[in-house]
Amino acid sequence: MSPTTTTVPAQLAQLMDGTALARRVAGETAARAAEVARRTGSAPCLATVLVGEDPASVTYVRMKRNRCTKAGIVSRHLALPAATTTEELVSTLRALSEDPTVHGILLQHPVGDHIDERAAFEAIAPEKDVDGVTLSSFAAMSFGRPGFVSCTPGGIMRLLDAYDVDLAGKRAVVVGRSAILGKPAGMLLLARDATVTYCHSRTADLSAHVREADVVVAAVGRPRLIRGEDVKPGAVVIDAGYNPGNVGDVDFDGALHRARLITPVPGGVGPMTIAVLLDQTVTAAERQLGLA
Amino acid sequence: MSPTTTTVPAQLAQLMDGTALARRVAGETAARAAEVARRTGSAPCLATVLVGEDPASVTYVRMKRNRCTKAGIVSRHLALPAATTTEELVSTLRALSEDPTVHGILLQHPVGDHIDERAAFEAIAPEKDVDGVTLSSFAAMSFGRPGFVSCTPGGIMRLLDAYDVDLAGKRAVVVGRSAILGKPAGMLLLARDATVTYCHSRTADLSAHVREADVVVAAVGRPRLIRGEDVKPGAVVIDAGYNPGNVGDVDFDGALHRARLITPVPGGVGPMTIAVLLDQTVTAAERQLGLA
């Protein structure tokens, strides 16, 4: 008999089921929202603000509003014309910040190029910043202070916790350094004692960093930027990228054969973002209504 | 003739002369302070607040006040008893924040354990936070927004610039993650397009990270934690550590034979910290007096 080559099927990574976890979180949120309504006579309220009619943004806002309704959160929507100025938007957000019937504020972004997005974000009162976009919220995340987290990084941390990923002393590589995703994700991982590396478009050898990473967070929006062959065997791969055609920032098929845990796209990080938004809205309401 | 062993003396690292650079910066600051006084009739004013009589803190504050005087900055000193409560300190800092004759505020820290240091820092108005300790200043540093930098990280960046250190795409390893040193230093390096890794007490293999670093920033306060033999040949080594006996966080003698540039201790980062403090005080005065 001639020797035969036996291909041992490699163990595939376990999928991190963001859809299921988000459903569980949403259930808890709904129960807490109902309790707020029972004790105060009014439900938590999230104000959503949309400038213009970008189809993707319209869809996202509609999804968020639908989830609010399902969770027993009142959704108040303000649709502003595309020509809205920074001053007008700031004024709208300040009014919502001062409105005691509104507990959380979401400004759907990106807003148009003619608007100073940072100025708009900063018009949101920190205690209503349930999307975690203000400088104040970022600093709070960075220093482990009370405050709301940016929703996608917050969702990532919940996924890691749900799958019992040990972070202390582990190498975490965050690819991307945006204000609402990469930067806060790194700070949250650092707060959990990971050794955190920020990689980005100017990083000289991304593959070398990925190859050393126990945890990879891809948060850059470039299809399959992270090569499957670079994933360290046994690593945890979090794909927060969203690209056309339901393609993430990670070569999923390649990574699947090397990672221990991996988020699918869709159904991984995405559902968690909205779950955290709703959860934080109820928390904001509890605090503002003196229940927490 | 028997073969002889020739020892080629290795090229030693160039020292980054913080004392000389600080002197140059202080000269520019003094000229600007004089201009403020000439145009407004009153000099920039830094309020220094010291709680208790810790000898090191007393010395630091005295040094800062002396430098103020030399630069033509009025130094107003408040010495509070060791038993000062958080509430009393916050109240003092709020009053200084509202006093139009004070342009910058320095709370000497660490304050006593019985005081909520963060609450005290946050009582400093961001526009007077010339020591860069507030959450607002940290977020501004992180996002490249207008604001004051934490003085030691700001001094490090000026040293790197003075010696034309190219940061874009380079690997920077920051050892330490304190709120006023490690975290902001990493954010400032990231803003300059370095690939930044935060290492700390829980990091599994510090040596491995240091060995890959083009730029090392040691900011942890543990004598000679960074081994000379781990320094990558040609690296830039910034030692922001201060330990008893003028010992830094880096094994200086060992690193000297491998680094391209290195800060001595003392005479490296230390002098730059005060230089940045005074520079930012004059900037604060210029802004508050409508000159900038």
Side-chain angles (χ1 to χ4, degrees), chain B residues 211-266:
Chain B
R211 281 196 294 267
E212 300 286 331
D214 300 305
V215 177
V216 179
V217 176
V220 67
R222 283 184 55 192
R224 300 192 187 90
L225 175 68
I226 310 295
R227 308 190 310 173
E229 66 209 77
D230 288 338
V231 171
K232 181 178 168 182
V236 176
V237 177
I238 304 288
D239 191 345
Y242 46 98
N243 305 292
N246 279 334
V247 173
D249 287 355
V250 177
D251 165 22
F252 181 82
D253 295 339
L256 193 61
H257 292 82
R258 299 176 67 86
R260 177 170 68 85
L261 287 166
I262 188 169
T263 56
V265 176

Short mmCIF file of all heavy atoms in Angstrom, two decimals, chain B residues 211-266:
data_model
loop_
_atom_site.label_atom_id
_atom_site.label_comp_id
_atom_site.label_asym_id
_atom_site.label_seq_id
_atom_site.Cartn_x
_atom_site.Cartn_y
_atom_site.Cartn_z
N ARG B 211 11.82 45.52 22.00
CA ARG B 211 12.76 45.12 20.95
C ARG B 211 12.30 45.53 19.55
O ARG B 211 13.10 45.66 18.64
CB ARG B 211 13.00 43.60 21.00
CG ARG B 211 13.97 43.18 22.10
CD ARG B 211 14.49 41.76 21.88
NE ARG B 211 13.45 40.77 22.01
CZ ARG B 211 13.15 40.11 23.14
NH1 ARG B 211 13.83 40.37 24.24
NH2 ARG B 211 12.19 39.22 23.17
N GLU B 212 10.98 45.71 19.39
CA GLU B 212 10.45 46.08 18.07
C GLU B 212 10.25 47.58 17.91
O GLU B 212 9.84 48.05 16.85
CB GLU B 212 9.09 45.40 17.87
CG GLU B 212 9.11 43.88 17.94
CD GLU B 212 9.74 43.28 16.69
OE1 GLU B 212 9.65 43.90 15.62
OE2 GLU B 212 10.35 42.18 16.80
N ALA B 213 10.52 48.35 18.97
CA ALA B 213 10.10 49.76 18.97
C ALA B 213 11.12 50.67 18.30
O ALA B 213 12.30 50.63 18.62
CB ALA B 213 9.87 50.21 20.41
N ASP B 214 10.63 51.51 17.40
CA ASP B 214 11.46 52.57 16.83
C ASP B 214 11.57 53.73 17.81
O ASP B 214 12.56 54.44 17.82
CB ASP B 214 10.84 53.07 15.52
CG ASP B 214 10.72 51.97 14.49
OD1 ASP B 214 11.74 51.33 14.17
OD2 ASP B 214 9.59 51.72 14.00
N VAL B 215 10.51 53.92 18.59
CA VAL B 215 10.49 54.96 19.62
C VAL B 215 9.97 54.33 20.90
O VAL B 215 8.92 53.67 20.89
CB VAL B 215 9.57 56.14 19.22
CG1 VAL B 215 9.50 57.18 20.33
CG2 VAL B 215 10.04 56.78 17.91
N VAL B 216 10.71 54.49 21.98
CA VAL B 216 10.26 53.99 23.28
C VAL B 216 10.02 55.19 24.19
O VAL B 216 10.89 56.05 24.30
CB VAL B 216 11.32 53.09 23.95
CG1 VAL B 216 10.84 52.62 25.33
CG2 VAL B 216 11.67 51.91 23.07
N VAL B 217 8.84 55.23 24.80
CA VAL B 217 8.57 56.25 25.81
C VAL B 217 8.35 55.52 27.13
O VAL B 217 7.37 54.78 27.27
CB VAL B 217 7.34 57.11 25.46
CG1 VAL B 217 7.03 58.09 26.58
CG2 VAL B 217 7.59 57.87 24.15
N ALA B 218 9.27 55.70 28.06
CA ALA B 218 9.16 55.03 29.35
C ALA B 218 8.57 56.01 30.35
O ALA B 218 9.13 57.07 30.58
CB ALA B 218 10.53 54.55 29.81
N ALA B 219 7.44 55.65 30.91
CA ALA B 219 6.69 56.60 31.71
C ALA B 219 5.98 55.87 32.83
O ALA B 219 4.77 55.93 32.97
CB ALA B 219 5.68 57.33 30.83
N VAL B 220 6.76 55.20 33.66
CA VAL B 220 6.11 54.32 34.60
C VAL B 220 6.65 54.49 36.02
O VAL B 220 5.96 54.20 37.00
CB VAL B 220 6.24 52.86 34.07
CG1 VAL B 220 7.69 52.41 34.12
CG2 VAL B 220 5.33 51.91 34.77
N GLY B 221 7.88 54.99 36.15
CA GLY B 221 8.45 55.20 37.47
C GLY B 221 8.96 53.93 38.12
O GLY B 221 8.77 53.71 39.32
N ARG B 222 9.62 53.09 37.33
CA ARG B 222 10.30 51.91 37.90
C ARG B 222 11.74 51.91 37.40
O ARG B 222 11.98 51.80 36.19
CB ARG B 222 9.57 50.61 37.49
CG ARG B 222 8.30 50.39 38.32
CD ARG B 222 7.64 49.08 38.01
NE ARG B 222 8.52 47.93 38.18
CZ ARG B 222 8.24 46.70 37.75
NH1 ARG B 222 7.12 46.48 37.13
NH2 ARG B 222 9.09 45.71 37.96
N PRO B 223 12.68 52.02 38.33
CA PRO B 223 14.08 52.20 37.96
C PRO B 223 14.57 51.14 36.99
O PRO B 223 14.44 49.94 37.25
CB PRO B 223 14.84 52.10 39.29
CG PRO B 223 13.82 52.27 40.36
CD PRO B 223 12.49 51.90 39.78
N ARG B 224 15.11 51.59 35.87
CA ARG B 224 15.76 50.72 34.87
C ARG B 224 14.87 49.55 34.44
O ARG B 224 15.37 48.45 34.16
CB ARG B 224 17.09 50.19 35.42
CG ARG B 224 18.09 51.30 35.75
CD ARG B 224 19.49 50.75 36.00
NE ARG B 224 20.39 51.78 36.47
CZ ARG B 224 20.59 52.09 37.75
NH1 ARG B 224 19.93 51.45 38.69
NH2 ARG B 224 21.42 53.05 38.09
N LEU B 225 13.57 49.79 34.37
CA LEU B 225 12.66 48.74 33.90
C LEU B 225 13.00 48.33 32.47
O LEU B 225 12.90 47.15 32.10
CB LEU B 225 11.21 49.25 33.98
CG LEU B 225 10.13 48.32 33.43
CD1 LEU B 225 10.00 47.09 34.30
CD2 LEU B 225 8.78 49.05 33.34
N ILE B 226 13.36 49.31 31.65
CA ILE B 226 13.68 49.02 30.25
C ILE B 226 15.16 48.64 30.17
O ILE B 226 16.05 49.45 30.44
CB ILE B 226 13.44 50.27 29.37
CG1 ILE B 226 12.04 50.85 29.61
CG2 ILE B 226 13.66 49.94 27.89
CD1 ILE B 226 10.91 49.97 29.23
N ARG B 227 15.41 47.42 29.76
CA ARG B 227 16.78 46.91 29.70
C ARG B 227 17.49 47.44 28.45
O ARG B 227 16.91 47.46 27.36
CB ARG B 227 16.78 45.38 29.67
CG ARG B 227 15.96 44.77 30.80
CD ARG B 227 16.16 43.28 30.90
NE ARG B 227 15.99 42.61 29.60
CZ ARG B 227 16.24 41.33 29.40
NH1 ARG B 227 16.67 40.57 30.41
NH2 ARG B 227 16.08 40.79 28.21
N GLY B 228 18.73 47.83 28.64
CA GLY B 228 19.50 48.35 27.51
C GLY B 228 19.57 47.36 26.36
O GLY B 228 19.43 47.73 25.19
N GLU B 229 19.71 46.09 26.70
CA GLU B 229 19.86 45.09 25.65
C GLU B 229 18.58 44.89 24.83
O GLU B 229 18.63 44.31 23.74
CB GLU B 229 20.29 43.75 26.28
CG GLU B 229 19.21 43.15 27.18
CD GLU B 229 19.79 42.29 28.30
OE1 GLU B 229 20.30 42.88 29.29
OE2 GLU B 229 19.75 41.06 28.20
N ASP B 230 17.46 45.38 25.34
CA ASP B 230 16.22 45.26 24.59
C ASP B 230 16.01 46.40 23.60
O ASP B 230 15.13 46.32 22.73
CB ASP B 230 15.01 45.22 25.54
CG ASP B 230 14.93 43.91 26.30
OD1 ASP B 230 15.49 42.92 25.81
OD2 ASP B 230 14.29 43.89 27.37
N VAL B 231 16.76 47.47 23.75
CA VAL B 231 16.57 48.62 22.86
C VAL B 231 17.01 48.24 21.45
O VAL B 231 18.09 47.71 21.24
CB VAL B 231 17.37 49.84 23.37
CG1 VAL B 231 17.36 50.97 22.34
CG2 VAL B 231 16.80 50.31 24.71
N LYS B 232 16.15 48.51 20.49
CA LYS B 232 16.44 48.21 19.09
C LYS B 232 17.55 49.13 18.60
O LYS B 232 17.51 50.34 18.85
CB LYS B 232 15.15 48.44 18.29
CG LYS B 232 15.22 48.16 16.81
CD LYS B 232 13.82 48.40 16.21
CE LYS B 232 13.86 48.42 14.69
NZ LYS B 232 12.50 48.70 14.16
N PRO B 233 18.54 48.60 17.93
CA PRO B 233 19.60 49.47 17.42
C PRO B 233 19.01 50.59 16.56
O PRO B 233 18.21 50.34 15.67
CB PRO B 233 20.47 48.52 16.59
CG PRO B 233 20.24 47.17 17.20
CD PRO B 233 18.80 47.18 17.64
N GLY B 234 19.41 51.82 16.90
CA GLY B 234 18.92 52.96 16.14
C GLY B 234 17.63 53.57 16.66
O GLY B 234 17.11 54.53 16.09
N ALA B 235 17.09 53.02 17.74
CA ALA B 235 15.83 53.52 18.28
C ALA B 235 16.00 54.88 18.96
O ALA B 235 17.11 55.30 19.27
CB ALA B 235 15.25 52.51 19.28
N VAL B 236 14.87 55.52 19.18
CA VAL B 236 14.82 56.78 19.93
C VAL B 236 14.22 56.45 21.30
O VAL B 236 13.14 55.87 21.37
CB VAL B 236 13.97 57.83 19.20
CG1 VAL B 236 13.85 59.10 20.03
CG2 VAL B 236 14.56 58.12 17.83
N VAL B 237 14.94 56.78 22.34
CA VAL B 237 14.51 56.40 23.69
C VAL B 237 14.23 57.63 24.52
O VAL B 237 15.12 58.47 24.75
CB VAL B 237 15.60 55.55 24.38
CG1 VAL B 237 15.18 55.21 25.82
CG2 VAL B 237 15.86 54.27 23.59
N ILE B 238 12.99 57.75 24.95
CA ILE B 238 12.55 58.88 25.77
C ILE B 238 12.27 58.36 27.17
O ILE B 238 11.36 57.54 27.36
CB ILE B 238 11.26 59.50 25.19
CG1 ILE B 238 11.45 59.92 23.73
CG2 ILE B 238 10.77 60.65 26.07
CD1 ILE B 238 12.31 61.13 23.53
N ASP B 239 13.01 58.84 28.11
CA ASP B 239 12.88 58.35 29.49
C ASP B 239 12.18 59.41 30.33
O ASP B 239 12.78 60.40 30.73
CB ASP B 239 14.26 58.03 30.05
CG ASP B 239 14.18 57.28 31.37
OD1 ASP B 239 13.09 57.27 31.99
OD2 ASP B 239 15.21 56.71 31.78
N ALA B 240 10.90 59.20 30.56
CA ALA B 240 10.13 60.16 31.36
C ALA B 240 9.99 59.67 32.80
O ALA B 240 9.20 60.20 33.57
CB ALA B 240 8.76 60.41 30.74
N GLY B 241 10.76 58.67 33.15
CA GLY B 241 10.69 58.16 34.51
C GLY B 241 11.48 59.03 35.48
O GLY B 241 12.47 59.64 35.10
N TYR B 242 11.02 59.07 36.68
CA TYR B 242 11.80 59.79 37.71
C TYR B 242 11.77 58.90 38.94
O TYR B 242 10.72 58.56 39.44
CB TYR B 242 11.25 61.18 37.99
CG TYR B 242 9.76 61.22 38.15
CD1 TYR B 242 9.17 61.22 39.42
CD2 TYR B 242 8.93 61.24 37.04
CE1 TYR B 242 7.79 61.24 39.57
CE2 TYR B 242 7.55 61.26 37.19
CZ TYR B 242 7.00 61.25 38.45
OH TYR B 242 5.64 61.26 38.59
N ASN B 243 12.94 58.51 39.33
CA ASN B 243 13.06 57.60 40.48
C ASN B 243 14.15 58.15 41.39
O ASN B 243 14.97 58.97 40.97
CB ASN B 243 13.43 56.20 39.98
CG ASN B 243 12.45 55.68 38.95
OD1 ASN B 243 11.31 55.41 39.26
ND2 ASN B 243 12.89 55.59 37.69
N PRO B 244 14.18 57.72 42.62
CA PRO B 244 15.20 58.22 43.55
C PRO B 244 16.60 58.04 42.97
O PRO B 244 16.88 57.06 42.26
CB PRO B 244 15.00 57.34 44.79
CG PRO B 244 13.57 56.91 44.72
CD PRO B 244 13.25 56.78 43.26
N GLY B 245 17.47 58.99 43.26
CA GLY B 245 18.85 58.89 42.83
C GLY B 245 19.06 59.23 41.37
O GLY B 245 20.01 58.76 40.75
N ASN B 246 18.16 60.07 40.82
CA ASN B 246 18.28 60.47 39.41
C ASN B 246 18.37 59.28 38.46
O ASN B 246 19.12 59.31 37.48
CB ASN B 246 19.51 61.38 39.21
CG ASN B 246 19.21 62.81 39.60
OD1 ASN B 246 18.05 63.24 39.56
ND2 ASN B 246 20.23 63.54 40.00
N VAL B 247 17.65 58.25 38.78
CA VAL B 247 17.61 57.07 37.91
C VAL B 247 16.31 57.08 37.13
O VAL B 247 15.24 57.32 37.70
CB VAL B 247 17.72 55.78 38.75
CG1 VAL B 247 17.51 54.56 37.87
CG2 VAL B 247 19.07 55.72 39.45
N GLY B 248 16.40 56.87 35.84
CA GLY B 248 15.21 56.85 35.00
C GLY B 248 14.59 55.46 34.93
O GLY B 248 14.97 54.56 35.67
N ASP B 249 13.64 55.30 34.03
CA ASP B 249 13.01 54.01 33.80
C ASP B 249 13.81 53.14 32.84
O ASP B 249 13.47 51.98 32.61
CB ASP B 249 11.60 54.21 33.21
CG ASP B 249 10.62 54.73 34.25
OD1 ASP B 249 10.99 54.83 35.43
OD2 ASP B 249 9.47 55.04 33.86
N VAL B 250 14.84 53.74 32.25
CA VAL B 250 15.64 53.04 31.25
C VAL B 250 17.04 52.79 31.81
O VAL B 250 17.60 53.64 32.49
CB VAL B 250 15.74 53.88 29.96
CG1 VAL B 250 16.63 53.19 28.93
CG2 VAL B 250 14.35 54.16 29.38
N ASP B 251 17.58 51.63 31.52
CA ASP B 251 19.00 51.37 31.80
C ASP B 251 19.81 52.23 30.82
O ASP B 251 20.07 51.83 29.69
CB ASP B 251 19.30 49.88 31.60
CG ASP B 251 20.80 49.61 31.51
OD1 ASP B 251 21.60 50.44 32.00
OD2 ASP B 251 21.16 48.57 30.94
N PHE B 252 20.16 53.42 31.28
CA PHE B 252 20.75 54.42 30.39
C PHE B 252 22.06 53.92 29.79
O PHE B 252 22.27 54.01 28.57
CB PHE B 252 20.99 55.72 31.17
CG PHE B 252 21.59 56.82 30.35
CD1 PHE B 252 20.78 57.60 29.54
CD2 PHE B 252 22.95 57.06 30.36
CE1 PHE B 252 21.33 58.63 28.77
CE2 PHE B 252 23.51 58.08 29.58
CZ PHE B 252 22.69 58.86 28.79
N ASP B 253 22.93 53.38 30.62
CA ASP B 253 24.25 52.97 30.12
C ASP B 253 24.13 51.91 29.04
O ASP B 253 24.83 51.94 28.03
CB ASP B 253 25.13 52.46 31.28
CG ASP B 253 25.44 53.59 32.26
OD1 ASP B 253 25.33 54.77 31.88
OD2 ASP B 253 25.77 53.27 33.43
N GLY B 254 23.20 50.98 29.26
CA GLY B 254 23.02 49.94 28.25
C GLY B 254 22.39 50.49 26.98
O GLY B 254 22.84 50.19 25.87
N ALA B 255 21.40 51.34 27.14
CA ALA B 255 20.68 51.87 25.98
C ALA B 255 21.56 52.79 25.15
O ALA B 255 21.41 52.88 23.92
CB ALA B 255 19.42 52.62 26.44
N LEU B 256 22.49 53.45 25.81
CA LEU B 256 23.36 54.43 25.14
C LEU B 256 24.13 53.81 23.98
O LEU B 256 24.46 54.49 23.00
CB LEU B 256 24.34 54.97 26.20
CG LEU B 256 25.15 56.22 25.86
CD1 LEU B 256 24.23 57.40 25.59
CD2 LEU B 256 26.10 56.55 27.02
N HIS B 257 24.41 52.52 24.10
CA HIS B 257 25.19 51.85 23.05
C HIS B 257 24.32 51.32 21.92
O HIS B 257 24.84 50.77 20.96
CB HIS B 257 26.02 50.70 23.65
CG HIS B 257 27.11 51.18 24.54
ND1 HIS B 257 26.89 51.52 25.86
CD2 HIS B 257 28.42 51.45 24.29
CE1 HIS B 257 28.04 51.94 26.39
NE2 HIS B 257 28.97 51.91 25.46
N ARG B 258 23.01 51.45 22.05
CA ARG B 258 22.15 50.88 21.02
C ARG B 258 21.25 51.95 20.38
O ARG B 258 20.98 51.90 19.19
CB ARG B 258 21.29 49.76 21.61
CG ARG B 258 22.15 48.61 22.15
CD ARG B 258 21.31 47.54 22.82
NE ARG B 258 20.46 46.82 21.87
CZ ARG B 258 20.86 45.77 21.17
NH1 ARG B 258 22.09 45.31 21.29
NH2 ARG B 258 20.05 45.16 20.33
N ALA B 259 20.81 52.90 21.18
CA ALA B 259 19.87 53.91 20.66
C ALA B 259 20.58 54.89 19.72
O ALA B 259 21.81 55.01 19.72
CB ALA B 259 19.25 54.66 21.82
N ARG B 260 19.78 55.58 18.93
CA ARG B 260 20.30 56.65 18.08
C ARG B 260 20.19 57.97 18.83
O ARG B 260 21.07 58.81 18.77
CB ARG B 260 19.47 56.71 16.78
CG ARG B 260 19.87 57.83 15.83
CD ARG B 260 19.17 57.65 14.47
NE ARG B 260 17.73 57.84 14.54
CZ ARG B 260 17.14 59.03 14.46
NH1 ARG B 260 17.86 60.13 14.34
NH2 ARG B 260 15.82 59.13 14.49
N LEU B 261 19.08 58.11 19.57
CA LEU B 261 18.84 59.31 20.36
C LEU B 261 18.30 58.87 21.71
O LEU B 261 17.49 57.94 21.78
CB LEU B 261 17.77 60.20 19.68
CG LEU B 261 18.16 60.97 18.42
CD1 LEU B 261 16.90 61.49 17.71
CD2 LEU B 261 19.08 62.15 18.78
N ILE B 262 18.71 59.55 22.77
CA ILE B 262 18.22 59.18 24.10
C ILE B 262 18.21 60.41 24.99
O ILE B 262 19.07 61.29 24.87
CB ILE B 262 19.09 58.05 24.72
CG1 ILE B 262 18.47 57.52 26.03
CG2 ILE B 262 20.53 58.53 24.96
CD1 ILE B 262 19.12 56.24 26.54
N THR B 263 17.19 60.46 25.85
CA THR B 263 17.13 61.57 26.82
C THR B 263 17.90 61.18 28.07
O THR B 263 17.71 60.08 28.60
CB THR B 263 15.68 61.87 27.23
OG1 THR B 263 15.10 60.68 27.75
CG2 THR B 263 14.86 62.39 26.07
N PRO B 264 18.78 62.05 28.55
CA PRO B 264 19.42 61.79 29.84
C PRO B 264 18.42 62.02 30.98
O PRO B 264 17.39 62.68 30.80
CB PRO B 264 20.54 62.82 29.88
CG PRO B 264 20.05 63.96 29.03
CD PRO B 264 19.17 63.34 27.98
N VAL B 265 18.71 61.44 32.13
CA VAL B 265 17.95 61.72 33.36
C VAL B 265 18.96 62.09 34.44
O VAL B 265 19.83 61.26 34.77
CB VAL B 265 17.15 60.48 33.83
CG1 VAL B 265 16.46 60.76 35.16
CG2 VAL B 265 16.13 60.06 32.79
N PRO B 266 18.97 63.31 34.92
CA PRO B 266 18.07 64.41 34.57
C PRO B 266 18.56 65.14 33.32
O PRO B 266 19.59 64.76 32.76
CB PRO B 266 18.17 65.31 35.79
CG PRO B 266 19.57 65.09 36.31
CD PRO B 266 19.91 63.66 36.01
#
